[in-house]
């Protein structure tokens, strides 16, 4: 698991910013309710799920309360990222001064529900593709400023990552090629003359003629965009392991297995993030 993605120093500022947005100048519901409560009074809450899924987001959840309350809230997780969770057993116990628990409730849930939803949905895709030796990967169709969390959730769900940002890998799409007068060879040569030796070159293709040009240009990854299964099989046979083959476009749980049988190496889809439903987790008062 890519635990390094969510080191506290990487996500601290994001959570502080989210707390500023959510709390504003104060939680006027909780602050006045708890104004006369003894600071030593402890409030105990159980984090539970209403549906089965894959847990993801324990660190952001924890850090919300560490920033809000320092040592006044303690969290004991019974599960960790990547574990299956069910309604039958609690995920975590939160104990501490009620003011901080109530103020941090919604934000902490927002992180862990969204990330668990992505991990759960990703696992459904990868479980279908894995028997065929195919990796399901995400795309850059992410929520702005939330990409770190979403990509981590994809990994936790057993999926794989495409480029993290624009400087990770060259990806020449139809508009890049159009800018070079429609010449894939010219576009590939222009970037190859300038990029680092460590960068791969990927080109998006929607015809077999484009695939042939990519092979002539020696690209590293050929993306077959919105092709039907018979076209994909024809292209993978032509490529014959001379480049990594990636399928993309209109991928869903219904057509995924057929696509995975095509001989491609990678299936990329925005669905595992953009269409992932939020997993239903909630706080239950324990006493």
């Amino acid at each position: 698991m890519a635990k390094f993605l969510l080191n506290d120093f990487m996500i601290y500022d994001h959570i502080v910013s989210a707390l500023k947005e959510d709390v504003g100048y104060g939680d006027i519901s909780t602050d006045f309710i708890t104004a006369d409560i003894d600071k030593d009074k402890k409030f105990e809450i159980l984090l539970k799920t209403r549906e089965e899924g894959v847990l993801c987001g324990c660190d952001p959840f924890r850090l919300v309360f560490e920033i809000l309350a320092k040592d006044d809230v303690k969290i004991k997780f019974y599960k960790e990222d990547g574990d299956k969770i069910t309604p039958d057993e609690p995920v975590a116990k939160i104990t501490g001064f009620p003011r901080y628990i109530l103020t941090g409730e919604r934000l902490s849930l927002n992180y862990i529900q969204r990330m668990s939803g992505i991990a759960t949905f990703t696992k459904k895709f990868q479980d279908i593709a894995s028997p065929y030796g195919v990796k399901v990967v995400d795309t850059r169709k992410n929520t702005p400023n939330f990409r770190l969390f979403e990509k981590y959730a994809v990994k936790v769900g057993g999926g794989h990552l495409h480029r993290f940002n624009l400087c990770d890998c060259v990806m020449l799409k139809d508009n890049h090629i159009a800018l070079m007068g429609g010449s894939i060879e010219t576009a590939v040569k222009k970037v190859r003359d300038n990029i680092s030796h460590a960068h791969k070159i990927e080109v998006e293709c929607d015809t077999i003629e484009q695939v042939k040009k990519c092979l002539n240009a020696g690209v590293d990854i050929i993306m077959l965009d919105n092709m039907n299964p018979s076209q994909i099989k024809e292209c993978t046979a032509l490529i014959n392991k001379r480049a990594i083959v990636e399928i993309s476009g209109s991928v869903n749980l219904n057509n995924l297995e057929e696509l995975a049988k095509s001989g491609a190496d990678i299936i990329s889809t925005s669905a595992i993030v953009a269409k992932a439903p939020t997993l239903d987790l909630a706080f239950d008062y324990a006493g």
Side-chain angles (χ1 to χ4, degrees):
M1 190 188 305
K3 186 71 172 177
F4 66 90
L5 285 175
L6 285 193
N7 280 323
D8 283 1
F9 75 89
M10 293 288 288
I11 62 176
Y12 184 91
D13 288 346
H14 190 283
I15 293 173
V16 169
S17 179
L19 280 166
K20 288 179 179 178
E21 176 188 60
D22 198 39
V23 178
Y25 294 107
D27 177 359
I28 60 174
S29 303
T30 302
D31 287 352
F32 296 127
I33 287 289
T34 60
D36 299 323
I37 293 179
D38 191 303
K39 193 74 185 292
D40 293 329
K41 179 178 174 60
K42 299 301 179 186
F43 194 53
E44 190 170 285
I45 290 287
L46 292 177
L47 173 65
K48 292 186 175 182
T49 180
R50 307 286 191 253
E51 55 187 328
E52 287 190 0
V54 177
L55 180 63
C56 184
C58 292
D59 281 342
F61 184 95
R62 167 187 55 80
L63 198 53
V64 167
F65 293 104
E66 287 185 9
I67 294 169
L68 258 182
K70 295 184 181 177
D71 297 324
D72 287 328
V73 173
K74 303 294 184 185
I75 300 171
K76 180 180 180 180
F77 281 102
Y78 302 113
K79 302 284 186 177
E80 61 183 27
D81 285 355
D83 285 348
K84 180 181 178 181
I85 54 175
T86 70
D88 303 324
E89 51 188 339
V91 176
K93 180 170 71 174
I94 304 97
T95 307
F97 188 53
R99 175 187 176 190
Y100 300 120
I101 294 176
L102 293 171
T103 297
E105 175 180 356
R106 183 71 267 155
L107 182 61
S108 61
L109 284 173
N110 284 346
Y111 279 106
I112 206 165
Q113 287 182 312
R114 177 67 182 138
M115 294 171 70
S116 295
I118 293 170
T120 301
F121 202 49
T122 298
K123 187 177 188 303
K124 292 179 180 180
F125 279 77
Q126 190 59 63
D127 283 351
I128 292 171
S130 286
Y132 305 98
V134 178
K135 293 179 178 179
V136 175
V137 309
D138 66 344
T139 72
R140 280 177 49 252
K141 292 180 181 177
N142 302 99
T143 308
N145 290 326
F146 205 72
R147 183 176 300 176
L148 187 69
F149 302 93
E150 291 172 339
K151 283 186 170 287
Y152 174 78
V154 167
K155 287 291 289 181
V156 169
H160 302 266
L161 304 184
H162 210 296
R163 56 181 180 166
F164 196 91
N165 54 37
L166 291 168
C167 66
D168 276 348
C169 168
V170 172
M171 182 185 288
L172 299 176
K173 299 172 79 69
D174 52 358
N175 288 330
H176 295 106
I177 305 302
L179 194 61
M180 293 293 101
S183 172
I184 288 174
E185 294 90 345
T186 300
V188 170
K189 183 179 186 307
K190 193 160 188 176
V191 295
R192 182 172 282 136
D193 288 344
N194 289 281
I195 60 172
S196 163
H197 68 283
H199 285 127
K200 290 184 176 181
I201 299 175
E202 177 169 6
V203 177
E204 176 187 86
C205 299
D206 50 29
T207 68
I208 194 165
E209 290 305 314
Q210 290 176 329
V211 170
K212 292 176 182 177
K213 291 178 180 178
C214 286
L215 291 172
N216 290 335
V219 307
D220 303 292
I221 309 165
I222 297 174
M223 179 199 286
L224 307 179
D225 186 47
N226 282 301
M227 290 189 181
N228 63 45
S230 62
Q231 291 173 316
I232 292 170
K233 288 178 182 178
E234 183 180 1
C235 288
T236 54
L238 175 64
I239 295 166
N240 193 26
K241 303 299 182 183
R242 286 180 286 173
I244 295 170
V245 180
E246 176 182 337
I247 300 170
S248 190
S250 303
V251 177
N252 56 62
L253 287 171
N254 293 324
N255 65 12
L256 180 60
E257 185 170 16
E258 186 175 17
L259 293 174
K261 293 176 180 177
S262 66
D265 305 292
I266 304 291
I267 297 176
S268 61
T269 173
S270 63
I272 54 177
V273 171
K275 296 184 180 180
T278 297
L279 199 69
D280 187 9
L281 290 96
F283 278 15
D284 283 350
Y285 179 59

